[in-house]
Structures are given as structure tokens and as C-alpha cells.
Amino acid sequence: MVRYVPRLADGQRVRLAWPLALFRLNHIFWPLDPSTGKWGRYLDRALAVLGCLIFVQHNDAELRYLRAEASNLNMDAFLTGMPTYLILVEAQFRSLHVLLHFEELQRFLQRFYTTIYIDPRAEPDMFRRVDGQMLINRLVSAMYGAVISGYLISPVLSVINRRKDFLYSMVFPFDTEPLAVFVPLLLSNVWVGIVIDSMMFGETSLLCELIVHLNGRYLLLKRDLEESIQRILAERRRPQMARQLKELIIATLRQNVALNQFGEQLEAQYTVRVFIMFAFAAGLLCALSFKAYTNPMANYIYAIWFGAKTVELLSLGQLGSSLAYTTDSLGSMYYHTHWEQVLEQSSNPLETLRLLRLIQLAIEMNSRPFYVTGLKYFRVSLQAGLKILQASFSYFTFLTSMQRRQLSN
């Protein structure tokens, strides 16, 4: 049972960055390799079902804790368990969507790495450019690693202090004191933390990589078109100039359409999960900021988590805006093909007319920018990230005012 191994078109294995290399080990969110046999697929599905059942058990235990603290009107204790519960529910929705589209995800990733991923051997400069845009995302991954390490150190502290504490705020409907019950539950805590943490930084890293490499392909398309046009103008074969430019634009349009189709596949694959991610973001940031604000030293994990989520949203939004800007400029790319110089120098009026009609068609095909969206409800952009931060700050001020009212009473 082997997870899918990304390879380029020539069979060369892709060297994944460390966040994606860790994410590839996540058996719920990363698809199987096509060579996996029937029994291996059955085993993988069985493990996925077992993982979903563990998620449900944790959901029940954490919800019991929240209900108990809400009935006691203990807002601080209630918000202690809120971040982990929100990210657990988010992970349940996202994992369910992935498992329902596992085969499509594998085919999608295979197409990405064979046709879209920029080969560092063929385009070293462009690869360094797009890889540099992933540095912030890798910083976010490191911050998420610090968050989960803060939770995973709890069992060690429990052993030192001779206590039986779980990693998260939970209330089980049965006695958890016997070691035969406590140890499996604690191990399930660790498993859930690792799976969800790798989901948080891994899937965002993959989405960012998809966006930056697609954007890089559009930039390469523009570069290659400009270089080819300069060669046509330099050769100056007057009877053939219009036909040469027309054939060049047709070849470029075919590549353009292929990139647009991949963008549509990217949208279809991620629109639901992006919607889920952004839908939970405001509430999660609100709870994290409140806990970090009330007691920064004791709740340093919440402060790091808040910083990671904030930078994640802004960096993802910035990459989405960059892709939209690039695709929005494609229409002007076809307009600035120096067709007026070809028109002036060409001696073939019929080919010139066909060229003008082709340029008009190319401009119309690229009249709208491409955005990754969340179920068409919002666009992944820097503006969307800022709006989520603004909403979370509004919730935060509401909670602080409620806390002051409780303290005054």
C-alpha cells in the first residue's frame, strides 16, 4: 500500500518540499499510487473508515466538554476547547470530501506534476521564482509544527506529574481511569493531532503550489510568445509574416486553453474544501485571539496558532490575487503581439484578415481573470483574507466586552 509518488512527464521523481513530503504520509488526504492492488485499496479504505470513527468519537467528547462549560457559563474554559473542536469539525468535513473524490484527486495530481509543474532542469529561473513564493507558506508549516508539538508534549508532562490528562479538552461518557482505556484514547489523541496538523499545513501547501506553478506556466506562455514574435519580426519574411504570427498564436492558444482547463479542474477539486476552510477561519481566529489575549504566557500555543492561521490566509489570498492578475493580463498579451507591424509589412491581405480575427477571438477568450473560489461564494484573494480578519476582530471585541461584563458582575 504505497501513497502516490509525484513524477514528471519523463518519469523523474519530483523532489517535494518538506511540508508536502510530510503531508504525503497522511493516509486520509493523500491518494494511493495507481499501482496499489485490490487488497491494498481495501485496507486503505478500512483504515480511513477507522480514522473517521475516531474523529466522531473525539467530536462527541469535545462537544460534551463545551456543553458542560457553556451550562456553567464559564466562557474562558469554553473558549479553551473551542479551537480544537472547530478544527476537528473542519477536518471531518474536508476529509469526507477528499475520501469521496479520492480517485479524481490522484488523477488531478498526476496531471499537475506531468504537465503543469515547472521542471527545475528545463526552467531553473522560473522554478526559483515560483519556489521563492512558497517560503512564507513553509514558515506557516513550521508554525503549525510548533503548535502540534505543544500539544504532543502533554503526555510527557502527564507522566512526570503522574496525571492522566488528554491532549484536548474532552469529557467522555465512561470511566477513563483504567490504563486499558486511557492509553488507547491518549494514542488516538496523538493520531488525531498529527493527522489534523498535517492537514492544516499540508493541504494549504499543496494548494499554494498548484497556484504558483499554474501562474508560472502562464508567465512562461507570455515569455515564449514574446520571444517568438521578436524572431518573426527580425526575420522579416514579408509574404509569410501574417501566416507565421497566426500559427504562433494558434499554438499559444492551444496551450492557453490547456492551462485554462487545468484551472477549471483546480477549481472543481478545491472549491468545496476552500469554502470549508474559509467558513471556519473567522470563528477559529476569534477564539484563538481571545485565549492569547487573556493570558499570553500560559496560552502561547494559541498565539502561535493564531499567527500561523493569519499568515496562511494572507499568503494564500496573495497568491490567488497574483494568479488573477496574470490571467487578467492575457487579453492584453494577445493584443500586444505587434500585429500592427505585421499588418504594415505583410503582403498577404487574406492572411492578415485571418490574423486579426484570430487576435480578436483570443482576446475574447481571456476577457475574465481566473480565481479559485469557495463554491462561487467568494474568491481566494488578499481582499477575502482581510475580510475574514476583520470579521474575527469584530467577534473578538464582542467576546472581550462580554468578559468585562462578567467580571464587573
Side-chain angles (χ1 to χ4, degrees):
M1 189 174 64
V2 181
R3 315 316 296 183
Y4 167 65
V5 179
R7 296 185 184 277
L8 300 173
D10 61 358
Q12 179 71 28
R13 184 167 179 170
V14 176
R15 185 177 179 180
L16 298 174
W18 68 266
L20 289 180
L22 293 177
F23 182 56
R24 182 178 168 272
L25 303 177
N26 191 318
H27 69 93
I28 291 182
F29 288 89
W30 191 270
L32 286 171
D33 193 82
S35 62
T36 305
K38 180 177 67 174
W39 292 107
R41 293 183 182 276
Y42 286 156
L43 177 59
D44 185 70
R45 290 171 186 171
L47 291 176
V49 171
L50 177 62
C52 291
L53 292 176
I54 294 175
F55 279 166
V56 171
Q57 181 195 49
H58 278 63
N59 188 310
D60 175 74
E62 292 193 38
L63 184 58
R64 288 175 184 273
Y65 170 86
L66 294 177
R67 291 173 60 187
E69 297 302 335
S71 63
N72 295 331
L73 300 179
N74 190 339
M75 188 171 66
D76 186 68
F78 177 82
L79 290 175
T80 298
M82 182 59 70
T84 54
Y85 181 73
L86 285 177
I87 200 64
L88 174 64
V89 176
E90 179 184 336
Q92 286 181 281
F93 283 123
R94 288 166 66 175
S95 61
L96 178 62
H97 184 265
V98 168
L99 293 173
L100 291 176
H101 301 85
F102 225 31
E103 300 296 331
E104 293 92 331
L105 177 60
Q106 187 275 323
R107 291 192 295 270
F108 172 74
L109 291 178
Q110 188 171 14
R111 180 182 179 185
F112 167 68
Y113 283 108
T114 55
T115 62
I116 304 298
Y117 187 86
I118 297 173
D119 189 347
R121 299 167 300 175
E123 298 288 346
D125 293 335
M126 183 57 70
F127 180 81
R128 282 193 295 269
R129 180 176 175 180
V130 299
D131 195 57
Q133 298 177 44
M134 296 293 295
L135 292 178
I136 296 179
N137 183 262
R138 287 164 195 165
L139 172 63
V140 171
S141 301
M143 295 173 72
Y144 275 128
V147 171
I148 191 59
S149 65
Y151 280 101
L152 295 181
I153 202 174
S154 297
V156 178
L157 298 178
S158 298
V159 172
I160 294 174
N161 298 322
R162 298 182 179 181
R163 296 198 313 263
K164 293 181 179 179
D165 296 333
F166 293 106
L167 272 65
Y168 320 113
S169 302
M170 312 174 79
V171 174
F172 288 95
F174 49 81
D175 184 18
T176 60
E177 286 299 316
L179 283 178
V181 176
F182 174 75
V183 172
L185 290 177
L186 183 63
L187 292 176
S188 70
N189 277 186
V190 174
W191 178 84
V192 167
I194 293 174
V195 168
I196 292 181
D197 191 68
S198 63
M199 173 210 74
M200 287 192 295
F201 69 74
E203 192 164 43
T204 303
S205 296
L206 180 58
L207 179 57
C208 290
E209 184 154 298
L210 291 167
I211 291 174
V212 297
H213 280 268
L214 179 59
N215 188 56
R217 282 294 174 185
Y218 279 118
L219 294 176
L220 287 175
L221 185 72
K222 183 178 180 181
R223 183 204 66 184
D224 294 343
L225 178 62
E226 291 175 349
E227 291 178 352
S228 299
I229 289 173
Q230 292 302 321
R231 283 197 298 268
I232 292 174
L233 294 175
E235 292 174 357
R236 201 168 181 174
R237 300 176 182 176
R238 297 189 61 182
Q240 303 177 13
M241 289 182 69
R243 181 180 59 81
Q244 287 178 324
L245 184 57
K246 184 191 73 172
E247 292 175 352
L248 173 62
I249 292 178
I250 290 175
T252 304
L253 271 175
R254 287 173 179 166
Q255 298 178 52
N256 193 170
V257 170
L259 293 177
N260 292 347
Q261 290 175 346
F262 179 81
E264 293 173 0
Q265 281 189 315
L266 171 62
E267 166 72 7
Q269 185 64 230
Y270 278 93
T271 184
V272 173
R273 300 204 290 280
V274 165
F275 179 83
I276 295 170
M277 182 195 307
F278 277 62
F280 281 85
L284 180 61
L285 286 172
C286 171
L288 292 171
S289 59
F290 182 82
K291 291 298 297 181
Y293 170 77
T294 52
N295 194 344
M297 297 303 296
N299 299 320
Y300 69 94
I301 293 179
Y302 295 105
I304 298 174
W305 192 350
F306 175 82
K309 191 67 179 177
T310 301
V311 178
E312 175 190 20
L313 289 174
L314 294 179
S315 61
L316 179 59
Q318 179 59 47
L319 293 178
S321 297
S322 298
L323 178 60
Y325 176 81
T326 300
T327 53
D328 191 38
S329 65
L330 292 178
S332 61
M333 176 187 76
Y334 288 105
Y335 181 78
H336 294 103
T337 52
H338 300 283
W339 58 267
E340 67 282 357
Q341 296 185 34
V342 174
L343 181 65
E344 180 182 343
Q345 300 180 27
S346 176
S347 59
N348 191 332
L350 181 60
E351 286 293 339
T352 302
L353 180 60
R354 291 173 179 171
L355 172 62
L356 293 177
R357 289 176 178 173
L358 181 63
I359 292 174
Q360 182 181 7
L361 175 63
I363 294 174
E364 290 176 356
M365 286 178 57
N366 295 277
S367 58
R368 293 196 308 173
F370 170 75
Y371 283 95
V372 180
T373 70
L375 293 177
K376 306 296 183 182
Y377 184 71
F378 59 84
R379 297 169 173 175
V380 176
S381 63
L382 185 59
Q383 184 180 11
L386 292 174
K387 285 184 177 180
I388 289 177
L389 292 177
Q390 184 179 12
S392 66
F393 180 73
S394 300
Y395 300 152
F396 168 76
T397 55
F398 172 72
L399 289 178
T400 53
S401 63
M402 285 185 60
Q403 183 193 39
R404 292 192 192 100
R405 185 174 299 178
Q406 281 188 346
L407 293 175
S408 63
N409 293 334

